[in-house]
Amino acid sequence: MTVKQLGLEELVAACAELEVPGVGLWREPVQTYGVEAAAKLVREAGLAVTTLCRGGFLTAIDPHARGQALDDNRAAVDEAAALGTDTLVLVSGGLPEGSKDLHGARERIADALAELGPYAAERGVRLAIEPLHPMYASDRCVVSTLAQALDLAERFPAEQVGVCVDTYHIWWDDRAPAQIARAGAGGRLHAFQLADWTTPLPEGVLNGRGQIGDGAIDMRAWRGLVEDAGYAGPIEVELFNDGLWARDGREVLAETADRFVRHAG
Amino acid sequence: MTVKQLGLEELVAACAELEVPGVGLWREPVQTYGVEAAAKLVREAGLAVTTLCRGGFLTAIDPHARGQALDDNRAAVDEAAALGTDTLVLVSGGLPEGSKDLHGARERIADALAELGPYAAERGVRLAIEPLHPMYASDRCVVSTLAQALDLAERFPAEQVGVCVDTYHIWWDDRAPAQIARAGAGGRLHAFQLADWTTPLPEGVLNGRGQIGDGAIDMRAWRGLVEDAGYAGPIEVELFNDGLWARDGREVLAETADRFVRHAG
């Protein structure tokens, strides 16, 4: 997503050239290219698919919408398995139209995980609940902290449900270091993503994630916390940024790799 | 601030007409009008000044900037006392330019409170730390949760330092109900403010606070929690909203009073 201006073939070639060993993929470009064809493309390039983004949106009350969401998440699990990644990242979903009940929405996510967790584990895929910054609580993700994500995940076996830690969403939270340790101790640190916090935020607050090193987040400190908790998996850089998307994708990828080494390496 | 388009005399007249018994004032219009004149105006109208907003911005590292901030906060305490309110709301301040150290910034707030708390108490004024939504953590307020605010406040006597609970900033936080109880038990619930959460957020995320009833927050539930914790003080409605500011101020005040009764009464 950091360089969504690149097509899948361009992306794979650019990663190979920069010796980036793995890539997190999003479902839409993979579906457009064809899941099997995408799997073959990355496999033959020797590139690991670190995670698939994203499942989730599991807060609907309406039974029909709820059934559709579960079907869509099973499809996402199948796609993850086909791509050879063991991790599907979940963005939980916001409040249904007109609802003010955060607690109820969080409980519906748990109900959905009870169905999806075993389905995923049978296919070698772990679900990773990603807490999103509290500014998304109403319209995107009612799971706002790592503690909440773990409260949900721990109702299920760790090989079914864990968490995705993204610095952009948790950097402000003084409880997050202890929650990272909790996640690591439980074998639930399933993914780790970097993005920096820059202001002013753009309208809609979706596409203002900062390039690594441009903002307020101490990347090396968070990497240290995650690794101290036992995480040895890939580290993804996931930037939603209109400015970066407007530039040449290969140049942005090279810049990102350089920033990673300088600020998080 | 909800109707900042009204001058102080218009505001006082409109409150009297609507039988609004109290008003939270901001420093700038009070200073422009003259502190003593403003105090006389509200006193003679029989209107209570519920809080003065705001002191704070206590995170500077530079000794000169730090001394200026302390001076300015002492002046704010003096103004609160002159206006006859017992509560000065504090917005703590963000990260200094180039800093990534949230913990250090929070400790500098504690250092400042050690100086300001006794000064305020001697003048009959309580300081109320207002946790601001985590989306303001870098540039406005490094105190992002009620738990953090109480961790700071509890280092000092309750008659010196407490907290200000604003629904807009804490509504997403599943720990907030327990923290409201903690604040109440310690006698530290010094102010209670309402604003609703609406999306999409505007650029800069400052002036998009929703009119009561327009958004995702269950106002009556939060009022219940605060009152269950022993709060019997005034309830303020504090909306920063470009749309409301563009309308006739008396009409907005009447609408706000109506919304308060319908959604929080």
Side-chain angles (χ1 to χ4, degrees), chain A residues 81-143:
Chain A
L83 289 167
T85 177
D86 62 0
T87 305
L88 175 67
V89 175
L90 302 184
V91 171
S92 299
L95 289 172
E97 183 68 30
S99 170
K100 299 177 197 273
D101 179 13
L102 287 172
H103 176 75
R106 290 170 185 147
E107 287 303 308
R108 289 193 297 281
I109 297 164
D111 292 345
L113 292 173
E115 295 197 39
L116 296 172
Y119 182 90
E122 284 165 18
R123 286 152 185 83
V125 175
R126 310 171 304 180
L127 305 175
I129 304 171
E130 181 170 7
L132 256 56
H133 193 284
M135 68 187 177
Y136 302 117
S138 72
D139 57 2
R140 194 157 292 264
C141 186
V142 296
V143 178

Side-chain angles (χ1 to χ4, degrees), chain A:
Chain A
M1 185 54 71
T2 303
V3 287
K4 71 170 184 177
Q5 62 271 54
L6 294 180
L8 214 47
E9 294 180 6
E10 293 175 299
L11 173 66
V12 168
C15 284
E17 192 181 313
L18 288 163
E19 298 181 12
V20 172
V23 64
L25 295 179
W26 276 57
R27 293 182 68 196
E28 293 72 14
V30 167
Q31 289 168 350
T32 303
Y33 193 81
V35 177
E36 292 303 330
K40 184 165 182 287
L41 177 72
V42 292
R43 193 172 55 240
E44 291 183 351
L47 197 62
V49 179
T50 50
T51 64
L52 180 65
C53 285
R54 60 195 187 191
F57 293 91
L58 299 168
T59 53
I61 296 172
D62 170 68
H64 181 68
R66 186 160 181 76
Q68 281 187 319
L70 289 171
D71 286 347
D72 186 56
N73 275 271
R74 280 184 284 261
V77 168
D78 296 345
E79 291 160 21
L83 289 167
T85 177
D86 62 0
T87 305
L88 175 67
V89 175
L90 302 184
V91 171
S92 299
L95 289 172
E97 183 68 30
S99 170
K100 299 177 197 273
D101 179 13
L102 287 172
H103 176 75
R106 290 170 185 147
E107 287 303 308
R108 289 193 297 281
I109 297 164
D111 292 345
L113 292 173
E115 295 197 39
L116 296 172
Y119 182 90
E122 284 165 18
R123 286 152 185 83
V125 175
R126 310 171 304 180
L127 305 175
I129 304 171
E130 181 170 7
L132 256 56
H133 193 284
M135 68 187 177
Y136 302 117
S138 72
D139 57 2
R140 194 157 292 264
C141 186
V142 296
V143 178
S144 302
T145 64
L146 205 44
Q148 288 175 341
L150 285 166
D151 288 348
L152 275 170
E154 288 174 356
R155 302 193 199 182
F156 307 97
E159 64 272 19
Q160 291 182 12
V161 187
V163 297
C164 170
V165 174
D166 185 323
T167 56
Y168 190 76
H169 299 302
I170 61 140
W171 77 280
W172 56 272
D173 182 2
D174 58 350
R175 295 176 78 209
Q179 298 302 313
I180 286 173
R182 172 185 167 193
R188 293 180 194 273
L189 272 176
H190 289 352
F192 179 43
Q193 301 178 332
L194 308 182
D196 215 337
W197 182 267
T198 53
T199 57
L201 293 165
E203 183 182 358
V205 301
L206 274 180
N207 301 330
R209 300 196 196 180
Q211 176 61 281
I212 307 305
D214 281 352
I217 305 178
D218 185 338
M219 296 295 163
R220 205 164 270 124
W222 289 104
R223 178 178 180 169
L225 288 166
V226 168
E227 292 182 344
D228 287 350
Y231 187 75
I235 304 176
E236 300 177 335
V237 178
E238 188 190 57
L239 310 177
F240 290 49
N241 186 305
D242 286 323
L244 296 179
W245 289 334
R247 289 169 48 194
D248 176 79
R250 296 173 74 99
E251 181 192 302
V252 171
L253 193 63
E255 175 187 281
T256 303
D258 175 64
R259 292 295 190 94
F260 180 88
V261 171
R262 285 168 53 199
H263 296 280

